[in-house]
Amino acid sequence: MTTKLFLFFILLSQATSSFSEMTCKPEDKRILLQIKKELNNPTLLSSWKPHTDCCHSNWYGVVCFPISNIIWSLSLSTNNDLTSQIPPSLGNLTKLETLSFFQLPNLSGPIPNSLSKLTKLKFLTFSKTSISGPIPDFVTKLKNLVTLDLSFNNLSGTLPHSLYKLPNLSGILFMNNKLTGPIPYSYGYFNNTNLPSLFLSNNKLSGTLPLSLARLNSSLIDFSHNRFEGDASMLFGSTKATVLIDLSWNKFAFDMGKLELTKTLDTLDVSHNQIYGNLPMGMENILSLNVSYNRLCGEIPKGGKLQSFDVDTYFHNKCLCGSPLPSCK
């Protein structure tokens, strides 16, 4: 009996040893070490050592699927030492579902075309870096994308026209770049079941909004600090699920009194535009409001928090009146 137990433990030990060898795939390790080289061997990646396992030795930013040991997430963040361009070899990690480079101010250059091979990506982030150039068209081929975050960079050029073709896309974050031109007409044709959030603020976008955006049912819309003009009333509607709309610091001009507001809307900023008319009814549910620096007129509706907002909320309008402003004559 003792002999049988001894043999059993030997076999178990061999099986465990064999299983432990099924760790980081050699090809994945080779790719990661090449990425490290292309990033100029930053101290951030000092844990990426050739003689250790890339899945089970705490390689910084690397996450593998259990059992299969496929690398499915790579996240690098908050480092000033990393000085390079985006490594083309990233495109060889074809099983990645999450790729995030965040707060790497010395990361520069364009987004390489090699990333078009990452067709399994769900979450793509290049944020708070110095990358430049246009948003590449290949992002519209990444059919599994849920969130595309390219915020706080030096990206230029126009908005990609075909983003609406991504069936699962629910978050578009392009704010704080140098993007120019109008919003494509196609942006009214996103898959509304995902309520895609559109963050386009702090760019150099211009022109009028396409009427197709009346079809858009986004939960969060931020077009602030751009050069848009004309009508933006198509973004509103009583049946929409919108929670936040920020149109501030543009040149929008439309009759606000004709808007129909959804009950879900709790944050509205249309300040620093050329919007006219009365404040609409149905603003009782709004928790954060700014309509200052427009051409609004008439009495502020009663109800909700409208009378408890600071005077600055309504400041510098043509003839807006009523509490908290002076009473109407």
Side-chain angles (χ1 to χ4, degrees):
M1 184 68 178
T2 304
T3 303
K4 290 182 178 180
L5 284 174
F6 178 72
L7 290 173
F8 172 77
F9 282 118
I10 289 177
L11 291 172
L12 180 62
S13 175
Q14 290 175 342
T16 304
S17 175
S18 176
F19 178 78
S20 66
E21 291 174 1
M22 296 176 59
T23 53
C24 179
K25 298 183 182 303
E27 178 62 12
D28 285 348
K29 179 189 279 191
R30 185 195 66 77
I31 294 169
L32 287 173
L33 291 174
Q34 178 61 28
I35 290 170
K36 180 181 179 180
K37 180 179 179 181
E38 292 173 4
L39 289 172
N40 297 319
N41 297 303
T43 56
L44 181 69
L45 303 183
S46 59
S47 60
W48 292 19
K49 298 177 181 179
H51 61 279
T52 61
D53 181 79
C54 65
C55 284
H56 301 287
S57 296
N58 296 318
W59 280 34
Y60 175 81
V62 177
V63 180
C64 303
F65 274 119
I67 303 177
S68 69
N69 291 305
I70 292 172
I71 298 172
W72 69 275
S73 176
L74 178 61
S75 300
L76 309 182
S77 66
T78 317
N79 184 266
N80 294 327
D81 175 56
L82 192 154
T83 303
S84 71
Q85 297 192 3
I86 298 173
S89 293
L90 281 172
N92 295 325
L93 293 175
T94 56
K95 304 298 184 181
L96 277 182
E97 295 187 13
T98 297
L99 175 60
S100 177
F101 279 33
F102 174 74
Q103 203 165 321
L104 302 172
N106 295 317
L107 185 74
S108 60
I111 300 174
N113 288 328
S114 61
L115 301 193
S116 62
K117 295 184 288 185
L118 303 181
T119 56
K120 294 186 181 296
L121 271 185
K122 295 180 180 179
F123 306 97
L124 175 58
T125 298
F126 290 116
S127 180
K128 295 190 175 183
T129 77
S130 295
I131 62 171
S132 56
I135 299 174
D137 289 335
F138 73 70
V139 296
T140 62
K141 298 178 181 179
L142 307 181
K143 299 298 184 182
N144 291 302
L145 273 185
V146 175
T147 300
L148 177 58
D149 183 356
L150 302 177
S151 61
F152 294 90
N153 296 300
N154 291 318
L155 296 172
S156 57
T158 58
L159 296 169
H161 283 253
S162 301
L163 282 182
Y164 77 99
K165 294 181 179 180
L166 299 178
N168 303 310
L169 194 60
S170 60
I172 301 169
L173 296 87
F174 292 165
M175 60 276 199
N176 292 79
N177 280 287
K178 299 176 181 178
L179 300 173
T180 56
I183 294 178
Y185 188 86
S186 60
Y187 280 32
Y189 292 87
F190 281 106
N191 181 357
N192 284 342
T193 58
N194 291 322
L195 299 176
S197 298
L198 268 174
F199 293 92
L200 305 178
S201 62
N202 288 280
N203 279 285
K204 298 178 181 180
L205 298 169
S206 60
T208 58
L209 301 185
L211 293 177
S212 62
L213 294 187
R215 301 182 72 261
L216 193 65
N217 195 7
S218 291
S219 54
L220 306 171
I221 297 175
D222 189 350
F223 294 169
S224 64
H225 292 267
N226 279 290
R227 301 170 183 177
F228 294 122
E229 58 188 18
D231 192 5
S233 61
M234 78 288 291
L235 298 174
F236 298 84
S238 59
T239 61
K240 294 191 176 185
T242 314
V243 175
L244 176 150
I245 296 180
D246 190 346
L247 306 177
S248 61
W249 293 92
N250 281 285
K251 297 180 180 179
F252 287 119
F254 57 91
D255 187 345
M256 192 167 181
K258 294 182 179 180
L259 297 181
E260 293 184 357
L261 303 183
T262 175
K263 292 181 178 179
T264 61
L265 187 66
D266 65 23
T267 301
L268 176 62
D269 190 343
V270 295
S271 63
H272 295 86
N273 281 286
Q274 300 168 14
I275 300 169
Y276 54 89
N278 301 325
L279 290 178
M281 302 302 295
M283 301 182 70
E284 303 82 21
N285 298 311
I286 292 180
L287 304 178
S288 178
L289 177 68
N290 194 345
V291 297
S292 63
Y293 289 89
N294 278 290
R295 300 173 181 176
L296 297 169
C297 209
E299 184 173 8
I300 297 171
K302 294 181 174 61
K305 296 187 64 177
L306 296 177
Q307 276 64 54
S308 62
F309 287 130
D310 193 275
V311 171
D312 291 346
T313 297
Y314 306 103
F315 183 68
H316 209 285
N317 275 285
K318 184 178 180 181
C319 50
L320 206 57
C321 58
S323 179
L325 298 179
S327 61
C328 302
K329 296 180 180 179

